[in-house]
Amino acid sequence: MSSLRLRIPLAAASLVAAALALAALLDGAESLLIAGLVLGAVAGLLGVLASRSLLRPLASVKQAAAAIAAGDFGARVWPRPAGEAGELADAFNRMADAVQEQMTDASAQRGRLEAALNSSIDAVVALDGDLRVLYANVAAERLFQRPAAEVAGKPFVWYMPNEQVLDAVRASRDRGERHVNVIERPGRQYLQAVTTPIVGGGDWAVLVVFHDLTDVRRTELVRRDFVANVSHELRTPLAGLKSVIETLAAGAIEEPKLAHEFLDRADDEVDRLIQLVEELLELSRIESGEVPLVVAPADVAALLSDVAEHLRPQAERKGVSLSLRVGEDVGSADLDARRLERALSNLVHNAIKFTPEGGAVTVSAERAGDRLVVKVSDTGIGVAAEDLPRIFERFYKVDHSRASGGSGIGLAVVKHTVEAHGGSVKAESELGRGSTFSFSLPVARP
Ligand code: ADP
């Protein structure tokens, strides 16, 4: 019998027992009193039993509800109580199933959103109306150099004490405005900060997204430097030309010997200009990949010999010996002969230029497995250790050789040419003793 169904007869029985007991007291009938007391005792006992059988299942429902509230969504009323309490348990368990399913869906969705936000390279931060951090993704943790758990609930100003960004954040919160600012942080880090009001985001009031612009800025700086360097390099020969023209105009043109001298100087300056412009063009062609390499099997020994013979007069004029050492197994290699010849000429030309009279320049080639290694060694002035790592940068010139008339582009062209062939360049040097510039590239194109 279910406890609910027991209640009505039990209540009636208790009333009857109480009435009988009262009647007995009133008319003194002893038998009636005993019957009333017995009936009352039985009713009381049944009442206790009934309330126990209802309370126990209720307690287990309460327990399961508390466990679910504490986050244990798998908690259920079990074992199933009998009777009506069992129906209550079934209903509770069905509700718990639905809650568990919704919680699983919600947490999967949250996980996906979080994964998406965390895979963003941009730092994403959500703030509440008091401008406290409510959410910070992994990139924001990196930006603030703090774990998200530590940042959560703290004032945003602690981590981004930048007036520009703070003003923007306030404007987004108070006036619903969207702002984009570029700010500079310590260590020459440039950030673009986009602040947006969050509509319908509960306690999320403002979203701030930081995009790192440091690389873009660096590229801009490199470009600006490049223009400044080119202008500087152009100015020197142009100034030379101008002074020649002025001197000629001032009367030197009337004296044939002097006029010739000045015209020769003008010719040199024009050569410098042509060389500079050609090197710049070559560099930009290689860098942009606009004019692809024309690769074909080339006889390495012949290529080296062509370069050496072309530059031999220059070495002789300077009293520098120029020798060639080509390994027997060098054979041929797949390369753009015209471009590689130009790169090698650059190296040999430098070696002669930076080697004093009586010195020696050696050009060598050998096979190292499936690579061709070409070296240009000299016994010249050498390059200081601190300059060596930057020697292949465009426009880089070692201080003492600034007067040598070079533009600092030659080695950059060599590096780009060799790299376009899938190879790499190397510079070894000792100040005052000489240098070895070398490159290695695959013999066969893949
Ligand atoms: P440049 O046109 O000035 O020669 P490069 O790019 O060819 O430009 O060379 C850059 C700088 O590297 C030179 O100005 C010079 O200081 C240094 N350098 C290059 N080759 C040598 C070398 N063989 N010995 C000493 N210094 C060299």
Side-chain angles (χ1 to χ4, degrees):
M1 195 191 297
S2 90
S3 51
L4 280 174
R5 276 185 209 135
L6 265 176
R7 275 203 180 159
I8 295 161
L10 284 176
S14 299
L15 271 176
V16 171
L20 285 173
L22 192 64
L25 274 177
L26 289 176
D27 63 13
E30 208 173 86
S31 57
L32 269 179
L33 178 66
I34 293 166
L37 287 174
V38 170
L39 202 53
V42 169
L45 188 68
L46 281 172
V48 169
L49 285 175
S51 66
R52 271 216 188 141
S53 69
L54 182 66
L55 279 180
R56 206 174 295 125
L58 276 181
S60 74
V61 169
K62 191 175 144 196
Q63 213 175 354
I68 289 171
D72 174 11
F73 296 104
R76 296 290 181 271
V77 179
W78 188 259
R80 184 184 190 278
E84 279 182 4
E87 283 168 31
L88 176 67
D90 288 345
F92 181 91
N93 287 344
R94 273 197 302 278
M95 179 204 67
D97 286 345
V99 168
Q100 189 176 24
E101 202 172 307
Q102 281 176 13
M103 288 308 293
T104 311
D105 279 358
S107 88
Q109 205 166 339
R110 190 192 150 99
R112 280 195 293 270
L113 274 174
E114 201 138 306
L117 283 169
N118 280 338
S119 54
S120 158
I121 52 162
D122 292 343
V124 180
V125 183
L127 311 176
D128 67 5
D130 295 326
L131 305 189
R132 288 173 184 277
V133 179
L134 290 189
Y135 173 79
N137 71 347
V138 170
E141 288 183 327
R142 272 199 299 271
L143 177 65
F144 298 150
Q145 297 178 347
R146 297 270 190 297
E150 189 187 318
V151 172
K154 307 277 171 38
F156 178 59
V157 61
W158 289 9
Y159 308 104
M160 188 50 64
N162 181 291
E163 264 321 301
Q164 244 177 311
V165 177
L166 293 172
D167 280 348
V169 163
R170 282 184 214 109
S172 293
R173 178 195 59 186
D174 302 336
R175 302 190 291 279
E177 293 172 2
R178 185 173 175 276
H179 284 270
V180 181
N181 286 298
V182 176
I183 57 166
E184 187 182 347
R185 302 193 81 218
R188 292 191 142 234
Q189 187 189 25
Y190 291 92
L191 293 178
Q192 181 191 55
V194 182
T195 45
T196 327
I198 303 177
V199 181
D203 49 357
W204 285 26
V206 180
L207 191 76
V208 193
V209 179
F210 294 98
H211 182 64
D212 198 336
L213 289 181
T214 311
D215 284 347
V216 179
R217 273 288 155 113
R218 203 169 290 146
T219 313
E220 273 171 25
L221 279 179
V222 168
R223 196 174 305 140
R224 219 180 298 155
D225 279 0
F226 181 76
V227 173
N229 279 321
V230 171
S231 317
H232 176 82
E233 294 301 334
L234 286 173
R235 208 166 48 194
T236 317
L238 284 175
L241 264 180
K242 189 170 165 49
S243 86
V244 166
I245 291 166
E246 279 170 359
T247 318
L248 285 172
I253 200 162
E254 310 295 346
E255 297 177 38
K257 194 167 171 283
L258 212 57
H260 255 108
E261 253 174 53
F262 278 102
L263 283 176
D264 278 350
R265 270 178 61 185
D267 200 34
D268 285 349
E269 299 297 3
V270 172
D271 279 349
R272 261 177 91 170
L273 275 172
I274 291 172
Q275 196 197 340
L276 174 67
V277 171
E278 275 188 351
E279 281 179 344
L280 279 171
L281 276 175
E282 178 70 358
L283 191 61
S284 88
R285 272 191 221 114
I286 298 171
E287 276 184 336
S288 66
E290 246 172 48
V291 185
L293 298 182
V294 185
V295 176
D299 180 341
V300 177
L303 190 147
L304 260 66
S305 159
D306 281 354
V307 171
E309 292 324 310
H310 182 67
L311 289 167
R312 195 172 293 287
Q314 192 191 332
E316 278 166 4
R317 270 200 304 274
K318 224 188 146 192
V320 170
S321 75
L322 177 60
S323 45
L324 208 57
R325 245 182 254 155
V326 182
E328 276 175 12
D329 59 342
V330 159
S332 81
D334 292 348
L335 40 88
D336 182 329
R338 192 188 62 81
R339 283 198 158 119
L340 217 72
E341 239 178 72
R342 189 181 294 194
L344 185 61
S345 295
N346 240 314
L347 293 180
V348 180
H349 176 81
N350 277 348
I352 298 169
K353 184 160 83 175
F354 295 106
T355 301
E357 195 179 343
V361 171
T362 309
V363 183
S364 68
E366 59 187 19
R367 282 283 290 265
D370 53 2
R371 295 181 83 81
L372 166 70
V373 181
V374 178
K375 290 183 182 164
V376 180
S377 305
D378 64 59
T379 57
I381 59 172
V383 181
E386 68 261 29
D387 290 313
L388 215 47
R390 301 192 58 193
I391 203 95
F392 289 102
E393 282 177 24
R394 50 163 104 126
F395 298 113
Y396 193 81
K397 285 187 265 184
V398 178
D399 257 350
H400 61 76
S401 61
R402 279 190 190 280
S404 68
S407 59
I409 302 176
L411 286 180
V413 175
V414 173
K415 180 172 184 269
H416 279 86
T417 306
V418 170
E419 285 177 356
H421 280 85
S424 59
V425 289
K426 195 162 132 190
E428 295 158 288
S429 188
E430 207 178 317
L431 206 55
R433 312 207 75 175
S435 318
T436 298
F437 287 81
S438 59
F439 60 82
S440 102
L441 35 94
V443 172
R445 294 285 281 184

mmCIF file of all heavy atoms in Angstrom, residues 172-205:
data_model
loop_
_atom_site.group_PDB
_atom_site.id
_atom_site.type_symbol
_atom_site.label_atom_id
_atom_site.label_comp_id
_atom_site.label_asym_id
_atom_site.label_seq_id
_atom_site.Cartn_x
_atom_site.Cartn_y
_atom_site.Cartn_z
ATOM 1 N N SER A 172 33.621 52.823 -25.930
ATOM 2 C CA SER A 172 32.828 51.663 -26.380
ATOM 3 C C SER A 172 31.760 51.344 -25.343
ATOM 4 O O SER A 172 30.606 51.071 -25.686
ATOM 5 C CB SER A 172 33.730 50.437 -26.567
ATOM 6 O OG SER A 172 34.613 50.657 -27.625
ATOM 7 N N ARG A 173 32.136 51.399 -24.084
ATOM 8 C CA ARG A 173 31.182 51.071 -23.016
ATOM 9 C C ARG A 173 30.088 52.142 -22.903
ATOM 10 O O ARG A 173 28.912 51.824 -22.864
ATOM 11 C CB ARG A 173 31.928 50.938 -21.691
ATOM 12 C CG ARG A 173 30.988 50.646 -20.523
ATOM 13 C CD ARG A 173 31.665 50.870 -19.198
ATOM 14 N NE ARG A 173 32.142 52.244 -19.067
ATOM 15 C CZ ARG A 173 32.878 52.677 -18.036
ATOM 16 N NH1 ARG A 173 33.240 51.844 -17.091
ATOM 17 N NH2 ARG A 173 33.279 53.928 -17.969
ATOM 18 N N ASP A 174 30.518 53.413 -22.870
ATOM 19 C CA ASP A 174 29.561 54.488 -22.578
ATOM 20 C C ASP A 174 28.754 54.919 -23.786
ATOM 21 O O ASP A 174 27.596 55.294 -23.666
ATOM 22 C CB ASP A 174 30.300 55.711 -22.000
ATOM 23 C CG ASP A 174 31.073 55.346 -20.734
ATOM 24 O OD1 ASP A 174 30.673 54.351 -20.085
ATOM 25 O OD2 ASP A 174 32.055 56.030 -20.409
ATOM 26 N N ARG A 175 29.383 54.910 -24.953
ATOM 27 C CA ARG A 175 28.690 55.462 -26.117
ATOM 28 C C ARG A 175 28.537 54.466 -27.260
ATOM 29 O O ARG A 175 28.137 54.823 -28.354
ATOM 30 C CB ARG A 175 29.444 56.711 -26.616
ATOM 31 C CG ARG A 175 29.571 57.802 -25.553
ATOM 32 C CD ARG A 175 30.097 59.102 -26.139
ATOM 33 N NE ARG A 175 31.487 58.995 -26.559
ATOM 34 C CZ ARG A 175 32.523 59.096 -25.728
ATOM 35 N NH1 ARG A 175 32.312 59.283 -24.441
ATOM 36 N NH2 ARG A 175 33.764 59.000 -26.165
ATOM 37 N N GLY A 176 28.903 53.225 -26.978
ATOM 38 C CA GLY A 176 28.738 52.180 -27.994
ATOM 39 C C GLY A 176 29.612 52.403 -29.217
ATOM 40 O O GLY A 176 29.284 51.967 -30.319
ATOM 41 N N GLU A 177 30.754 53.082 -29.048
ATOM 42 C CA GLU A 177 31.609 53.391 -30.207
ATOM 43 C C GLU A 177 32.628 52.284 -30.459
ATOM 44 O O GLU A 177 33.013 51.558 -29.551
ATOM 45 C CB GLU A 177 32.360 54.711 -29.960
ATOM 46 C CG GLU A 177 31.436 55.909 -29.916
ATOM 47 C CD GLU A 177 32.158 57.174 -29.482
ATOM 48 O OE1 GLU A 177 33.395 57.134 -29.251
ATOM 49 O OE2 GLU A 177 31.485 58.194 -29.338
ATOM 50 N N ARG A 178 33.068 52.227 -31.716
ATOM 51 C CA ARG A 178 34.114 51.274 -32.094
ATOM 52 C C ARG A 178 35.367 52.084 -32.401
ATOM 53 O O ARG A 178 35.283 53.097 -33.111
ATOM 54 C CB ARG A 178 33.660 50.511 -33.341
ATOM 55 C CG ARG A 178 34.586 49.427 -33.779
ATOM 56 C CD ARG A 178 33.942 48.627 -34.918
ATOM 57 N NE ARG A 178 34.878 47.653 -35.431
ATOM 58 C CZ ARG A 178 35.798 47.921 -36.348
ATOM 59 N NH1 ARG A 178 35.874 49.132 -36.850
ATOM 60 N NH2 ARG A 178 36.628 46.981 -36.753
ATOM 61 N N HIS A 179 36.513 51.670 -31.855
ATOM 62 C CA HIS A 179 37.739 52.434 -32.074
ATOM 63 C C HIS A 179 38.884 51.534 -32.512
ATOM 64 O O HIS A 179 38.980 50.392 -32.075
ATOM 65 C CB HIS A 179 38.152 53.155 -30.778
ATOM 66 C CG HIS A 179 37.313 54.359 -30.505
ATOM 67 N ND1 HIS A 179 37.631 55.609 -30.959
ATOM 68 C CD2 HIS A 179 36.136 54.484 -29.854
ATOM 69 C CE1 HIS A 179 36.686 56.455 -30.591
ATOM 70 N NE2 HIS A 179 35.761 55.804 -29.911
ATOM 71 N N VAL A 180 39.749 52.094 -33.358
ATOM 72 C CA VAL A 180 40.958 51.379 -33.776
ATOM 73 C C VAL A 180 42.147 52.281 -33.461
ATOM 74 O O VAL A 180 42.190 53.435 -33.899
ATOM 75 C CB VAL A 180 40.930 51.061 -35.291
ATOM 76 C CG1 VAL A 180 42.182 50.288 -35.693
ATOM 77 C CG2 VAL A 180 39.687 50.266 -35.661
ATOM 78 N N ASN A 181 43.073 51.784 -32.669
ATOM 79 C CA ASN A 181 44.267 52.558 -32.311
ATOM 80 C C ASN A 181 45.512 51.723 -32.575
ATOM 81 O O ASN A 181 45.474 50.492 -32.457
ATOM 82 C CB ASN A 181 44.264 52.884 -30.807
ATOM 83 C CG ASN A 181 43.257 53.960 -30.484
ATOM 84 O OD1 ASN A 181 43.365 55.073 -30.960
ATOM 85 N ND2 ASN A 181 42.256 53.612 -29.692
ATOM 86 N N VAL A 182 46.595 52.391 -32.916
ATOM 87 C CA VAL A 182 47.881 51.680 -32.997
ATOM 88 C C VAL A 182 48.753 52.221 -31.872
ATOM 89 O O VAL A 182 48.941 53.432 -31.758
ATOM 90 C CB VAL A 182 48.554 51.885 -34.369
ATOM 91 C CG1 VAL A 182 49.933 51.229 -34.388
ATOM 92 C CG2 VAL A 182 47.693 51.301 -35.472
ATOM 93 N N ILE A 183 49.230 51.329 -31.043
ATOM 94 C CA ILE A 183 50.019 51.773 -29.893
ATOM 95 C C ILE A 183 51.399 51.113 -29.923
ATOM 96 O O ILE A 183 51.577 50.034 -30.488
ATOM 97 C CB ILE A 183 49.325 51.432 -28.558
ATOM 98 C CG1 ILE A 183 49.048 49.925 -28.449
ATOM 99 C CG2 ILE A 183 48.032 52.199 -28.408
ATOM 100 C CD1 ILE A 183 48.690 49.494 -27.056
ATOM 101 N N GLU A 184 52.349 51.801 -29.312
ATOM 102 C CA GLU A 184 53.697 51.230 -29.240
ATOM 103 C C GLU A 184 53.933 50.773 -27.812
ATOM 104 O O GLU A 184 53.623 51.485 -26.862
ATOM 105 C CB GLU A 184 54.745 52.278 -29.629
ATOM 106 C CG GLU A 184 56.136 51.664 -29.718
ATOM 107 C CD GLU A 184 57.223 52.668 -30.064
ATOM 108 O OE1 GLU A 184 56.902 53.790 -30.473
ATOM 109 O OE2 GLU A 184 58.404 52.298 -29.894
ATOM 110 N N ARG A 185 54.442 49.574 -27.661
ATOM 111 C CA ARG A 185 54.719 49.046 -26.325
ATOM 112 C C ARG A 185 56.221 48.881 -26.161
ATOM 113 O O ARG A 185 56.974 48.931 -27.139
ATOM 114 C CB ARG A 185 54.028 47.691 -26.142
ATOM 115 C CG ARG A 185 52.533 47.776 -26.338
ATOM 116 C CD ARG A 185 51.880 46.529 -25.851
ATOM 117 N NE ARG A 185 51.701 46.525 -24.417
ATOM 118 C CZ ARG A 185 51.854 45.462 -23.632
ATOM 119 N NH1 ARG A 185 52.261 44.327 -24.141
ATOM 120 N NH2 ARG A 185 51.618 45.518 -22.353
ATOM 121 N N PRO A 186 56.681 48.662 -24.925
ATOM 122 C CA PRO A 186 58.120 48.509 -24.727
ATOM 123 C C PRO A 186 58.690 47.409 -25.627
ATOM 124 O O PRO A 186 57.989 46.439 -25.937
ATOM 125 C CB PRO A 186 58.224 48.109 -23.254
ATOM 126 C CG PRO A 186 56.961 48.591 -22.632
ATOM 127 C CD PRO A 186 55.915 48.568 -23.676
ATOM 128 N N GLY A 187 59.921 47.578 -26.022
ATOM 129 C CA GLY A 187 60.571 46.589 -26.891
ATOM 130 C C GLY A 187 60.164 46.773 -28.337
ATOM 131 O O GLY A 187 60.174 45.823 -29.120
ATOM 132 N N ARG A 188 59.745 47.999 -28.695
ATOM 133 C CA ARG A 188 59.337 48.333 -30.064
ATOM 134 C C ARG A 188 58.282 47.368 -30.606
ATOM 135 O O ARG A 188 58.348 46.910 -31.740
ATOM 136 C CB ARG A 188 60.547 48.356 -31.000
ATOM 137 C CG ARG A 188 61.474 49.481 -30.682
ATOM 138 C CD ARG A 188 62.511 49.670 -31.735
ATOM 139 N NE ARG A 188 62.757 51.086 -31.916
ATOM 140 C CZ ARG A 188 62.693 51.722 -33.076
ATOM 141 N NH1 ARG A 188 62.386 51.080 -34.150
ATOM 142 N NH2 ARG A 188 62.947 53.005 -33.156
ATOM 143 N N GLN A 189 57.311 47.069 -29.729
ATOM 144 C CA GLN A 189 56.213 46.233 -30.179
ATOM 145 C C GLN A 189 55.058 47.149 -30.561
ATOM 146 O O GLN A 189 54.706 48.064 -29.804
ATOM 147 C CB GLN A 189 55.775 45.291 -29.045
ATOM 148 C CG GLN A 189 54.749 44.282 -29.505
ATOM 149 C CD GLN A 189 54.139 43.499 -28.358
ATOM 150 O OE1 GLN A 189 54.098 43.959 -27.227
ATOM 151 N NE2 GLN A 189 53.664 42.300 -28.646
ATOM 152 N N TYR A 190 54.510 46.917 -31.758
ATOM 153 C CA TYR A 190 53.397 47.745 -32.210
ATOM 154 C C TYR A 190 52.133 46.900 -32.233
ATOM 155 O O TYR A 190 52.136 45.778 -32.771
ATOM 156 C CB TYR A 190 53.674 48.299 -33.612
ATOM 157 C CG TYR A 190 54.794 49.309 -33.604
ATOM 158 C CD1 TYR A 190 56.114 48.915 -33.822
ATOM 159 C CD2 TYR A 190 54.542 50.649 -33.336
ATOM 160 C CE1 TYR A 190 57.160 49.826 -33.776
ATOM 161 C CE2 TYR A 190 55.577 51.573 -33.291
ATOM 162 C CZ TYR A 190 56.873 51.152 -33.520
ATOM 163 O OH TYR A 190 57.892 52.068 -33.481
ATOM 164 N N LEU A 191 51.071 47.457 -31.598
ATOM 165 C CA LEU A 191 49.816 46.716 -31.537
ATOM 166 C C LEU A 191 48.690 47.558 -32.112
ATOM 167 O O LEU A 191 48.621 48.762 -31.858
ATOM 168 C CB LEU A 191 49.445 46.403 -30.087
ATOM 169 C CG LEU A 191 50.323 45.442 -29.306
ATOM 170 C CD1 LEU A 191 49.802 45.326 -27.884
ATOM 171 C CD2 LEU A 191 50.312 44.071 -29.967
ATOM 172 N N GLN A 192 47.819 46.892 -32.862
ATOM 173 C CA GLN A 192 46.590 47.556 -33.273
ATOM 174 C C GLN A 192 45.514 47.081 -32.291
ATOM 175 O O GLN A 192 45.340 45.877 -32.103
ATOM 176 C CB GLN A 192 46.217 47.130 -34.692
ATOM 177 C CG GLN A 192 44.964 47.819 -35.183
ATOM 178 C CD GLN A 192 44.463 47.180 -36.461
ATOM 179 O OE1 GLN A 192 44.223 45.979 -36.520
ATOM 180 N NE2 GLN A 192 44.325 47.976 -37.496
ATOM 181 N N ALA A 193 44.843 48.038 -31.615
ATOM 182 C CA ALA A 193 43.823 47.667 -30.633
ATOM 183 C C ALA A 193 42.464 48.069 -31.174
ATOM 184 O O ALA A 193 42.220 49.240 -31.445
ATOM 185 C CB ALA A 193 44.092 48.369 -29.314
ATOM 186 N N VAL A 194 41.590 47.079 -31.348
ATOM 187 C CA VAL A 194 40.234 47.361 -31.836
ATOM 188 C C VAL A 194 39.276 47.153 -30.666
ATOM 189 O O VAL A 194 39.208 46.059 -30.104
ATOM 190 C CB VAL A 194 39.854 46.420 -33.005
ATOM 191 C CG1 VAL A 194 38.469 46.753 -33.531
ATOM 192 C CG2 VAL A 194 40.875 46.505 -34.121
ATOM 193 N N THR A 195 38.574 48.200 -30.268
ATOM 194 C CA THR A 195 37.627 48.071 -29.153
ATOM 195 C C THR A 195 36.214 48.188 -29.703
ATOM 196 O O THR A 195 35.915 49.092 -30.484
ATOM 197 C CB THR A 195 37.853 49.173 -28.100
ATOM 198 O OG1 THR A 195 38.005 50.410 -28.767
ATOM 199 C CG2 THR A 195 39.085 48.928 -27.273
ATOM 200 N N THR A 196 35.356 47.257 -29.261
ATOM 201 C CA THR A 196 33.984 47.196 -29.775
ATOM 202 C C THR A 196 33.028 46.955 -28.612
ATOM 203 O O THR A 196 33.331 46.138 -27.741
ATOM 204 C CB THR A 196 33.842 45.980 -30.736
ATOM 205 O OG1 THR A 196 35.072 45.772 -31.414
ATOM 206 C CG2 THR A 196 32.734 46.156 -31.721
ATOM 207 N N PRO A 197 31.874 47.634 -28.598
ATOM 208 C CA PRO A 197 30.897 47.320 -27.549
ATOM 209 C C PRO A 197 30.279 45.947 -27.818
ATOM 210 O O PRO A 197 30.125 45.563 -28.976
ATOM 211 C CB PRO A 197 29.856 48.429 -27.704
ATOM 212 C CG PRO A 197 30.000 48.913 -29.097
ATOM 213 C CD PRO A 197 31.421 48.713 -29.493
ATOM 214 N N ILE A 198 29.958 45.218 -26.758
ATOM 215 C CA ILE A 198 29.307 43.916 -26.947
ATOM 216 C C ILE A 198 27.822 44.101 -26.639
ATOM 217 O O ILE A 198 27.468 44.501 -25.535
ATOM 218 C CB ILE A 198 29.905 42.843 -26.017
ATOM 219 C CG1 ILE A 198 31.414 42.717 -26.252
ATOM 220 C CG2 ILE A 198 29.212 41.502 -26.229
ATOM 221 C CD1 ILE A 198 32.105 41.737 -25.316
ATOM 222 N N VAL A 199 26.983 43.823 -27.634
ATOM 223 C CA VAL A 199 25.538 43.983 -27.434
ATOM 224 C C VAL A 199 24.946 42.601 -27.151
ATOM 225 O O VAL A 199 25.199 41.656 -27.884
ATOM 226 C CB VAL A 199 24.884 44.616 -28.692
ATOM 227 C CG1 VAL A 199 23.393 44.804 -28.484
ATOM 228 C CG2 VAL A 199 25.560 45.948 -29.004
ATOM 229 N N GLY A 200 24.182 42.506 -26.074
ATOM 230 C CA GLY A 200 23.522 41.247 -25.726
ATOM 231 C C GLY A 200 24.483 40.204 -25.195
ATOM 232 O O GLY A 200 24.223 39.015 -25.300
ATOM 233 N N GLY A 201 25.566 40.629 -24.625
ATOM 234 C CA GLY A 201 26.572 39.684 -24.129
ATOM 235 C C GLY A 201 26.535 39.520 -22.623
ATOM 236 O O GLY A 201 27.550 39.129 -22.036
ATOM 237 N N GLY A 202 25.400 39.824 -22.006
ATOM 238 C CA GLY A 202 25.304 39.677 -20.552
ATOM 239 C C GLY A 202 26.269 40.630 -19.879
ATOM 240 O O GLY A 202 26.286 41.829 -20.199
ATOM 241 N N ASP A 203 27.107 40.096 -18.990
ATOM 242 C CA ASP A 203 28.028 41.004 -18.287
ATOM 243 C C ASP A 203 29.278 41.313 -19.123
ATOM 244 O O ASP A 203 30.139 42.067 -18.691
ATOM 245 C CB ASP A 203 28.406 40.458 -16.893
ATOM 246 C CG ASP A 203 28.842 39.016 -16.964
ATOM 247 O OD1 ASP A 203 28.793 38.443 -18.077
ATOM 248 O OD2 ASP A 203 29.220 38.463 -15.914
ATOM 249 N N TRP A 204 29.379 40.743 -20.332
ATOM 250 C CA TRP A 204 30.469 41.135 -21.235
ATOM 251 C C TRP A 204 30.071 42.464 -21.896
ATOM 252 O O TRP A 204 29.121 42.508 -22.678
ATOM 253 C CB TRP A 204 30.680 40.075 -22.323
ATOM 254 C CG TRP A 204 31.366 38.830 -21.867
ATOM 255 C CD1 TRP A 204 31.369 38.320 -20.599
ATOM 256 C CD2 TRP A 204 32.146 37.933 -22.663
ATOM 257 N NE1 TRP A 204 32.092 37.163 -20.553
ATOM 258 C CE2 TRP A 204 32.589 36.895 -21.810
ATOM 259 C CE3 TRP A 204 32.521 37.901 -23.998
ATOM 260 C CZ2 TRP A 204 33.374 35.846 -22.258
ATOM 261 C CZ3 TRP A 204 33.294 36.854 -24.450
ATOM 262 C CH2 TRP A 204 33.723 35.841 -23.580
ATOM 263 N N ALA A 205 30.788 43.528 -21.583
ATOM 264 C CA ALA A 205 30.381 44.841 -22.071
ATOM 265 C C ALA A 205 31.216 45.321 -23.259
ATOM 266 O O ALA A 205 30.704 45.931 -24.187
ATOM 267 C CB ALA A 205 30.472 45.863 -20.937
#
